[in-house]
Amino acid sequence: MTTVVESGEANRLRKNSLGVGAVTFLVVSAAAPLTAVAGGVPLSMLMGNGAGIPGTFLIVTAVLLIFAIGYVAMARHVANAGAFYAYTAKGLGGALGGAAALIAILSYNAMQIGVFGMFGAATSGLFAGWGINLPWWLWCFIGVALVGVLGYRRVDLSAKILTVLVLLEYLIVLVVDLAILFKGGDSGLSMAPFTPTQILSGAPAIGLLFCFAAFIGVEATTIYSEEAREPHRTVPRATYISILIIGAFYMFTSWLMANATGVDKLVPSLQALQDPTTFLFTLSDRYVGTAVTQLMSVLFVSSLFAGVVAFHNGVARYFYVAGREKLLPESLGVTHPVFKSPHVGSLIQTAIAFLVIALFAVTGQDPVLALFSWLTNVGTLGIITLMALTSFSVLAFFTRNPSLEGNVLKAKVAPVIAGLVLAYIIFQIVLNFGSLSGASGTLSWFLPSLVLIAAVLGLVLALALKSKDPAAFAQLGNEVKQ
């Protein structure tokens, strides 16, 4: 039976402030669709399985939909902004819940700060073209400050801004997509990218990892469950809608990108580029014109900004829940008296972002090859680990509470399939971390080990809470009454 706990009105997130559309846009913006198709897709084609990427996106979309079956089934019984942490605590116990909480805090911090590296580099390049030359790290600091203001205030303000930015992202890419479609690509439109021959070509494991990374963010619907209207309906709908929108967009766009150059000429064309991430922009020049390409450059920056806002909101809520439930200092578990936002968590995340970016700047690290690549891969590993934990948590939760879900597919079959596939993905990421991130030597094993370190720290904190306050430990992950 699901346990529900009260959260005082003076110290809780703003309830009933987000509908299905708002949650969907908050989540989709974290996946940064323009960033993924402009930056991630060309790299996945070059380093992975070439023209087989559209088919790989189809496989990944299917896996995430299977994951969502159990995920949303449990969402109907647990509404807690701790999301993965809460699910793990309710399914596998408070000790592993503590581990999940610290993995989540590490992962979403790493994703947000890593994306800031790309944001700083892209913004610096954009404004340099307009005669304004400022270092990448200064643009990062400006972005961190703006994101901090949005995170401090009401969540529906962030949702409104992200809705506009995400819609513009989709529109600009669809303009290029339709131009390629109507012109028939380089030499006709081929369905070869969806064939086993193409999907298994090159390095399919690397392609699979890139495709999973492109979806990071769509799993975060439950983070907003305490602020959603009718969360037991809003969260499941937003989850499925987010996965389907992102999956269809990636498949359609990557298929057209492959056909725009020609399936057989795709990899040689990417190899000929000094920077593979300019591929989408060269296609825009060829099929649409430079005016659209210039607008896309602006929207590429706004896409990155939308992503860091969404990840910031996620981190702030994890800090808030960890404080509220006494895993971390209780001073974190408070909300703003007016905005009802997790403002303390927001301020702490802002400070962490400033410090990490400053460290990379002072040591002369590259904002893309180091800050972006290293940290986003750590974040991806952590989030997929959380998804695997959640899948097995769903299985354990419904096994102990069979009356809550009579559908075997939702309660057992889908969670097991998703958990095993995600475990395989985790193994592949650890095995190929150096190739994926560009990290070498000690960093190639130290960076992925940060996830394990966070898990151990979270486990220790949870066991310490159990010893100090058994009643609080027993409440970890409980649903917060709406």
Side-chain angles (χ1 to χ4, degrees):
M1 188 172 186
T2 306
T3 305
V4 181
V5 297
E6 296 275 3
S7 182
E9 289 296 327
N11 184 34
R12 63 173 300 162
L13 298 169
R14 183 177 291 276
K15 62 181 180 179
N16 299 321
S17 58
L18 301 172
V20 174
V23 173
T24 299
F25 279 108
L26 277 165
V27 168
V28 168
S29 61
L34 177 54
T35 301
V37 298
V41 168
L43 289 173
S44 66
M45 291 172 166
L46 179 62
M47 299 171 62
N49 48 342
I53 287 299
T56 308
F57 271 126
L58 177 61
I59 293 170
V60 172
T61 302
V63 171
L64 289 173
L65 286 172
I66 293 171
F67 165 76
I69 292 172
Y71 187 53
V72 302
M74 193 164 175
R76 296 187 176 94
H77 304 284
V78 178
N80 185 306
F84 290 142
Y85 142 72
Y87 284 36
T88 303
K90 297 311 296 178
L92 299 178
L96 285 178
L102 268 291
I103 292 174
I105 289 172
L106 166 73
S107 301
Y108 285 105
N109 263 300
M111 289 299 298
Q112 198 253 14
I113 299 168
V115 173
F116 259 124
M118 180 72 81
F119 171 82
T123 308
S124 180
L126 177 66
F127 279 87
W130 297 341
I132 302 173
N133 293 288
L134 295 173
W136 67 268
W137 50 265
L138 183 56
W139 289 112
C140 284
F141 288 151
I142 293 171
V144 169
L146 291 173
V147 171
V149 171
L150 289 174
Y152 192 89
R153 295 178 64 85
R154 290 174 51 168
V155 68
D156 50 345
L157 174 61
S158 293
K160 290 171 184 175
I161 293 172
L162 295 183
T163 297
V164 174
L165 294 179
V166 171
L167 284 174
L168 290 173
E169 285 183 56
Y170 276 103
L171 286 173
I172 197 70
V173 176
L174 288 174
V175 167
V176 179
D177 285 348
L178 293 175
I180 297 170
L181 182 66
F182 290 135
K183 292 181 180 179
D186 180 73
S187 52
L189 298 174
S190 169
M191 297 303 292
F194 293 100
T195 62
T197 300
Q198 290 293 336
I199 293 172
L200 297 175
S201 66
I206 298 293
L208 185 69
L209 298 180
F210 268 104
C211 289
F212 260 101
F215 277 89
I216 295 300
V218 299
E219 78 292 336
T221 47
T222 52
I223 289 176
Y224 302 101
S225 59
E226 292 180 35
E227 297 154 281
R229 292 191 289 272
E230 299 182 278
H232 302 99
R233 296 175 60 190
T234 297
V235 169
R237 289 178 181 178
T239 301
Y240 282 122
I241 291 171
S242 299
I243 293 171
L244 289 170
I245 287 175
I246 288 290
F249 179 74
Y250 286 160
M251 281 185 284
F252 183 62
T253 300
S254 60
W255 172 66
L256 288 168
M257 289 169 72
N259 278 284
T261 300
V263 172
D264 295 334
K265 294 184 282 186
L266 175 63
V267 174
S269 297
L270 287 167
Q271 291 171 335
L273 293 173
Q274 185 175 359
D275 180 2
T277 62
T278 62
F279 182 54
L280 181 63
F281 299 94
T282 63
L283 294 180
S284 176
D285 279 342
R286 174 179 172 182
Y287 285 92
V288 186
T290 56
V292 170
T293 305
Q294 290 171 356
L295 178 58
M296 188 182 293
S297 298
V298 175
L299 291 175
F300 180 65
V301 171
S302 72
S303 170
L304 291 162
F305 183 76
V308 293
V309 170
F311 283 124
H312 174 90
N313 284 330
V315 175
R317 279 152 184 77
Y318 270 111
F319 273 131
Y320 163 72
V321 171
R324 182 182 69 189
E325 306 197 0
K326 301 181 182 181
L327 279 170
L328 293 178
E330 291 182 68
S331 57
L332 291 174
V334 297
T335 55
H336 193 278
V338 176
F339 303 127
K340 302 298 181 185
S341 63
H343 64 300
V344 179
S346 176
L347 289 171
I348 290 176
Q349 202 287 318
T350 299
I352 292 172
F354 267 114
L355 290 173
V356 174
I357 291 167
L359 176 64
F360 274 74
V362 168
T363 55
Q365 301 293 336
D366 188 279
V368 176
L369 299 180
L371 181 55
F372 173 78
S373 184
W374 296 351
L375 295 195
T376 56
N377 277 288
V378 170
T380 298
L381 173 60
I383 292 170
I384 294 178
T385 299
L386 290 170
M387 293 172 71
L389 280 172
T390 298
S391 291
F392 294 121
S393 298
V394 172
L395 174 65
F397 178 78
F398 286 124
T399 298
R400 288 200 310 273
N401 303 281
S403 62
L404 296 180
E405 181 55 70
N407 189 312
V408 177
L409 174 65
K410 295 179 180 179
K412 296 183 179 179
V413 177
V416 168
I417 293 173
L420 292 175
V421 172
L422 291 166
Y424 170 76
I425 297 299
I426 292 166
F427 171 75
Q428 288 294 333
I429 292 177
V430 174
L431 189 66
N432 295 282
F433 194 87
S435 299
L436 286 167
S437 66
S440 59
T442 302
L443 282 175
S444 65
W445 62 262
F446 174 73
L447 288 172
S449 72
L450 289 174
V451 176
L452 179 59
I453 293 170
V456 171
L457 177 58
L459 188 68
V460 170
L461 289 172
L463 292 176
L465 177 64
K466 182 179 182 180
S467 174
K468 181 178 65 176
D469 191 343
F473 179 82
Q475 294 292 312
L476 293 180
N478 281 342
E479 180 173 4
V480 177
K481 188 173 181 180
Q482 294 294 303

